[in-house]
Amino acid sequence: METSHKLHPIGLSPLTELQTLVEHRSVYTLNQCELNVFETHQQSKNVRLCFNDLVLTTMLRGKKVMHLFGSEHFDYLPGESVIVPEKEEMIIDFPDASQQNPTQCIALAVNGEVLKETIGLLNEKFPKAEDNDMWRIDMSAFHLQNTFEITNAVDRLVHVSRENIGAKEVLASFTLKELLIRLMQTQARHLILDNYKKYLNNHRFAYIAAYIRENLAENLNIDRLSDLACMSKPNFFRYFKREFGLTPVEFIIQERLKLAKKLLADPLVPITEVCFRSGFNNTNYFFKLFRKYEGTTPKAFRETTIHHLG
C-alpha cells in the first residue's frame, strides 16, 4: 500500500458559530463544483448524507465509520479519500468525536457535465494503451489512499474555493479538471498495478508490473521493459505516465522501497544488505531516495517499525 498524504488542516469553526455539533456544514459554491466542509464535535451514529452529484470526500481530522452501498462499511481516516456516486446515501458513525477531538471532512460535489467533458476529452485526445480500456471513474476503487498529487490538487482547490479573487472560477476550473485526472490515474494504478495478477492476460502494463516485481534485485533495463510491452521506448514512457501518473522509473523506485521496508522489519538483515537486495546498487542513493519518499532514514524507520511490532 502506498504512503498516504494528508491535506493541510482547515481551521475549525468557533464553538459559538456551530449550528449543530453533528456535521456542522460550511459551503463554498463555484460554477463547476461545491466545496462542503463538515465538522462533528460529539459522538453520533447513523448520520445520513446524500448529494445529487458525484462527490469526492477527504478526511482531515478524526475518524468516521462509513457505511456505503448497503453492507459496505469501513474506518475512514485522514490521508484517505472516498468517491461517492450521485444520489448514493452515506450512513456515517462518529465513534470518537468530541469537542476535544472533532472530526473534519471535506466533500467536493462535482458538476456532472464537467466530469463528462473531462472524461470525453481524455478518451478522445489521450487514449489508453489498450484499445478496450477507457478513462472513467471506477467505483470498484472508491476508497483511496491519497497520493501526493491528489493531496496537492485538493489543497489548491480548497484554497481557491475560499479565496475572494476575480480569477477564482477560472483557477478552480483548471484545478478541478486536474484533480479528476489525478483521481483516475490513481484508480488505474490501484486496479492494474496493485492487482496485476487479475490482468496479466489482457493488459500489457500488468505484465510489466509482474516482471518488475519478480526482478527487483536485477538491473531493470527500460529498453527491455518497452520490448516486453511491445512498444517503442518513447511510447512506453508516454502511455505509462499518462495512465498511472508516474513514470516506469518512479514505479520501480517505489516497488524497491516497498521491498526495502519489508526487509528493514527484520533487525538481523544489515541495512547495506537491505539496499542491495532491494535492487539499489549504491547506499548513498538508497538513503537519499528513502528519505525523499518516506521522510526518514532507513535506520530510523527500522527502529520505529521494530518498536511498534514489539
Side-chain angles (χ1 to χ4, degrees), residues 219-230:
N219 178 23
L220 289 166
N221 185 286
I222 297 300
D223 289 324
R224 169 64 174 157
L225 294 180
S226 58
D227 286 343
L228 289 172
C230 300

Side-chain angles (χ1 to χ4, degrees), residues 2-210:
E2 295 184 58
T3 300
S4 63
H5 296 264
K6 298 178 183 179
L7 271 73
H8 290 118
I10 298 174
L12 293 165
S13 301
L15 289 177
T16 54
E17 296 181 9
L18 295 178
Q19 298 167 344
T20 172
L21 293 178
V22 179
E23 291 294 69
H24 168 77
R25 180 184 185 189
S26 302
V27 184
Y28 304 89
T29 302
L30 298 165
N31 288 339
Q32 297 183 342
C33 61
E34 177 187 84
L35 174 68
N36 300 269
V37 183
F38 290 98
E39 301 173 29
T40 293
H41 294 255
Q42 70 178 28
Q43 287 185 357
S44 190
K45 293 189 70 174
N46 297 324
V47 177
R48 295 172 183 268
L49 193 61
C50 188
F51 288 86
N52 290 325
D53 295 306
L54 178 137
V55 176
L56 169 69
T57 72
T58 301
M59 282 295 288
L60 301 179
R61 307 171 193 257
K63 169 187 169 181
K64 294 181 179 181
V65 177
M66 290 279 283
H67 302 259
L68 276 177
F69 311 117
S71 60
E72 191 82 36
H73 69 277
F74 52 90
D75 289 349
Y76 190 17
L77 302 167
E80 301 175 357
S81 290
V82 169
I83 303 170
V84 183
E86 60 186 47
K87 296 182 172 60
E88 177 69 32
E89 186 177 51
M90 297 172 259
I91 303 176
I92 310 166
D93 301 333
F94 301 89
D96 305 323
S98 66
Q99 291 189 9
Q100 293 73 36
N101 182 37
T103 68
Q104 188 182 47
C105 179
I106 65 171
L108 183 71
V110 180
N111 179 283
E113 287 302 313
V114 176
L115 179 60
K116 183 178 177 181
E117 175 189 327
T118 304
I119 293 174
L121 177 66
L122 286 173
N123 282 320
E124 180 183 354
K125 301 293 186 182
F126 306 100
K128 291 196 168 192
E130 304 298 341
D131 292 338
N132 61 347
D133 199 6
M134 304 286 284
W135 290 103
R136 66 191 187 281
I137 297 290
D138 193 322
M139 292 314 303
S140 68
F142 65 90
H143 186 193
L144 304 169
Q145 294 286 325
N146 288 347
T147 62
F148 170 81
E149 293 81 11
I150 288 177
T151 299
N152 184 263
V154 174
D155 268 334
R156 284 185 281 118
L157 193 55
V158 169
H159 181 71
V160 169
S161 299
R162 302 171 80 217
E163 276 191 310
N164 187 20
I165 56 174
K168 181 175 184 173
E169 293 289 351
V170 175
L171 291 170
S173 176
F174 285 131
T175 309
L176 177 61
K177 288 182 174 65
E178 178 193 346
L179 174 58
L180 293 173
I181 293 169
R182 299 292 191 185
L183 276 175
M184 287 184 276
Q185 288 175 327
T186 301
Q187 285 190 314
R189 209 147 83 209
H190 171 72
L191 290 168
I192 302 300
L193 300 185
D194 291 353
N195 299 284
Y196 63 95
K197 291 180 181 178
K198 296 181 182 178
Y199 302 96
L200 285 176
N201 296 324
N202 57 16
H203 201 294
R204 70 189 77 194
F205 290 147
Y207 177 73
I208 296 301

